[in-house]
Amino acid sequence: MLPTITVDDEKCGNPLQCRLCLLACPTRVLGLGASAAPRKYQETDPARFIVRGVRYPFCTACRKCVDVCPHGAIEVSFDQVVTA
Amino acid sequence: MRHDAEQVSWRIHFGQVVTKEEVDRIIDLIYPIGLMTCACRRSMRGLPDEENFTCMGMGPGMYKWERWPETYRGGMNFLTPDEARHVIDVLNRRGLVHCMYTFGTPYLAGICNCDYPDCGGLRTAVDMGVRVVWKGHYVAEVDADKCNGCGLCVRRCQFKALSFSPSTLKAYIDPFKCYGCGLCRNPCKPDAIEMIDRATLPALAGVW
């Protein structure tokens, strides 16, 4: 069962500057990218930087990223709880 | 899906682990050499550009860096071969694995200095078994007579190939997992780790 990680880009702001969630994730599930391809002679607008769940199989649903986000932009849902 | 991912990667952008000795020789063959920021660590850790100069680009394509300010974030430092060897030495002591990467196979374009889990390539290769990074031409082997069991080498392995064996009190290397980067040799005082040519071991000759 894989988790669902949603990031609200409007609330998130500039993740390259903030990067708290990237540093908090123990298994590097989150990845930083841009919502626009690199353009010739142009730097990417910081508002275009986004964080997404990338390596889902390694997510333990510890929710450290949720706790650390100052804007409450990340949600992690893990529908099925496996019990022993 | 694994097969498809490998095919795309091999066509466009994949790498192979090389030892420091090999890099030192490669540096004499390439020109220009540009030290640039690492896209993987930017993506994984959001590293600021000034802390992130660990990738070496090569060839005349490097002269075009100003056209693509986002791809070459943080700019480009052009290095002489001796400066490049010094940088490689520093990164090696930091514990980073040297890999030769293609950009548009067969064109070689970079010497990346990678670590687990912050390199996208190593992460994909080690955790998912998708061979976007190939093993090198060597396999590390422990000489049990020389090994003094200090365990310093274990932390150098980025590939989960090296462990400390409690029953022998020596280092243990899984040759099937070893990528042949040679990093484990550096802290070894008794010089107990030797790099064996992969081709001389029939069972490993095809294990890339």
Side-chain angles (χ1 to χ4, degrees):
Chain A
M1 184 72 195
L2 296 179
T4 313
I5 303 171
T6 50
V7 182
D8 186 330
D9 296 332
E10 303 238 318
K11 287 188 193 165
C12 171
N14 183 352
L16 182 54
Q17 213 164 48
C18 166
R19 74 193 188 111
L20 290 174
C21 55
L22 298 170
L23 298 178
C25 181
T27 56
R28 320 285 201 272
V29 173
L30 299 171
L32 175 122
S35 60
R39 304 257 306 265
K40 214 171 185 180
Y41 299 115
Q42 278 178 32
E43 283 184 31
T44 300
D45 178 0
R48 291 284 201 168
F49 289 124
I50 53 170
V51 165
R52 287 287 182 273
V54 182
R55 288 158 285 269
Y56 285 102
F58 308 106
C59 180
T60 59
C62 68
R63 293 171 212 274
K64 288 199 173 95
C65 54
V66 179
D67 297 339
V68 84
C69 181
H71 312 292
I74 308 178
E75 276 177 46
V76 177
S77 65
F78 207 77
D79 298 335
Q80 193 182 314
V81 178
V82 183
T83 46
Chain B
M1 177 152 160
R2 183 170 296 160
H3 175 263
D4 291 351
E6 283 181 346
Q7 292 300 316
V8 171
S9 155
W10 296 346
R11 208 163 52 237
I12 299 166
H13 180 42
F14 81 108
Q16 183 178 27
V17 169
V18 285
T19 62
K20 181 162 180 284
E21 291 78 359
E22 286 173 315
V23 178
D24 285 344
R25 277 156 56 203
I26 289 163
I27 282 171
D28 279 326
L29 305 174
I30 59 180
Y31 183 86
I33 308 168
L35 187 64
M36 54 186 278
T37 52
C38 165
C40 288
R41 290 191 191 89
R42 179 155 57 247
S43 164
M44 295 262 189
R45 311 291 283 156
L47 265 195
D49 297 329
E50 59 274 18
E51 293 173 25
N52 199 15
F53 279 91
T54 51
C55 276
M56 251 175 220
M58 65 177 82
M62 294 300 105
Y63 291 132
K64 295 191 282 188
W65 70 273
E66 282 168 306
R67 290 184 209 171
W68 299 95
E70 195 56 43
T71 306
Y72 299 101
R73 262 187 92 85
M76 179 76 72
N77 295 328
F78 287 101
L79 305 177
T80 67
D82 283 338
E83 286 169 342
R85 269 187 282 268
H86 174 70
V87 169
I88 288 288
D89 186 51
V90 171
L91 298 177
N92 185 283
R93 276 187 269 162
R94 221 170 98 182
L96 303 183
V97 178
H98 318 300
C99 308
M100 288 292 295
Y101 274 93
T102 69
F103 280 83
T105 314
Y107 296 103
L108 291 166
I111 304 170
C112 288
N113 298 285
C114 310
D115 62 339
Y116 180 92
D118 286 335
C119 164
L122 296 197
R123 191 85 203 267
T124 311
V126 173
D127 284 346
M128 295 167 182
V130 181
R131 287 179 295 155
V132 298
V133 179
W134 282 39
K135 296 182 177 73
H137 283 265
Y138 300 92
V139 179
E141 199 175 80
V142 182
D143 184 334
D145 293 332
K146 287 190 194 166
C147 176
N148 62 8
C150 70
L152 286 175
C153 52
V154 178
R155 73 177 79 165
R156 299 278 287 178
C157 185
Q158 302 295 306
F159 301 99
K160 304 176 182 176
L162 224 172
S163 56
F164 183 79
S165 157
S167 51
T168 61
L169 298 177
K170 311 264 183 200
Y172 173 77
I173 297 177
D174 182 342
F176 289 90
K177 288 188 187 166
C178 177
Y179 272 64
C181 66
L183 281 187
C184 50
R185 289 172 304 170
N186 303 36
C188 185
K189 286 261 164 61
D191 209 12
I193 299 174
E194 200 189 337
M195 304 304 287
I196 312 276
D197 192 333
R198 182 178 295 276
T200 63
L201 301 163
L204 290 179
V207 178
W208 298 106

